[in-house]
Amino acid sequence: MVCLDPAILFSASFQLSFVATAGLTLLAPRIADFLKALPTVLAELIAITVSAQLLVTPLLILHFGNVSLMAVPANILAIGFSPWVMLTGIVAMLWSLFALPALEAVTWAAWAPIEYLLCIAAFASDTGLARVQVPTLPGWTVA
């Protein structure tokens, strides 16, 4: 991707995706090991969220001048439901190609987890911690 468009290196979205992936690859296993006293699934959910957030935070400050203190708790609460929402969405999409009348039954399976995710998002955004202004960092401090 960078070979085709080197300017993408200066894109906030590319930088955030890159460092979040690096966090998942480099830090998540170490954080999960540190949390080995917890059940494995919980330790991994926390490790995934914390590792990505740790590495994207300097870039969030650089590009946007704010951070969310609710990102980690909200993501820990939400991450376990995301696969179910994605799976039921894919099933609903495929089902709609063949059996439109039965689609309502399939979409009901996605309703509760989607509603749960919306409640988490609403709660996290309604707190005063959803967006905390911080002084913008000079670019060299992030490197």
Side-chain angles (χ1 to χ4, degrees):
M1 194 167 28
V2 175
C3 291
L4 295 175
D5 183 12
I8 199 167
L9 289 171
F10 301 101
S11 163
S13 59
F14 177 80
Q15 293 171 3
L16 290 166
S17 295
F18 183 84
V19 299
T21 303
L24 296 175
T25 305
L26 302 172
L27 293 180
R30 291 184 175 120
I31 294 171
D33 286 345
F34 179 75
L35 300 171
K36 62 185 169 205
L38 297 174
T40 305
V41 172
L42 182 59
E44 289 176 357
L45 291 176
I46 293 170
I48 288 167
T49 301
V50 170
S51 64
Q53 193 66 38
L54 277 174
L55 289 189
V56 300
T57 296
L59 285 172
L60 291 173
I61 295 169
L62 174 68
H63 290 293
F64 307 110
N66 63 61
V67 294
S68 173
L69 300 180
M70 290 301 294
V72 170
N75 283 321
I76 288 170
L77 291 172
I79 197 168
F81 290 85
S82 298
W84 179 254
V85 170
M86 289 187 288
L87 176 65
T88 55
I90 291 168
V91 169
M93 179 196 63
L94 293 174
W95 198 288
S96 72
L97 298 173
F98 305 108
L100 197 56
L103 183 61
E104 186 175 351
V106 175
T107 56
W108 272 105
W111 175 80
I114 289 172
E115 190 65 30
Y116 172 75
L117 293 176
L118 290 172
C119 287
I120 291 170
F123 172 76
S125 65
D126 287 343
T127 67
L129 304 174
R131 185 175 162 213
V132 178
Q133 289 291 126
V134 292
T136 304
L137 297 173
W140 63 268
T141 61
V142 177

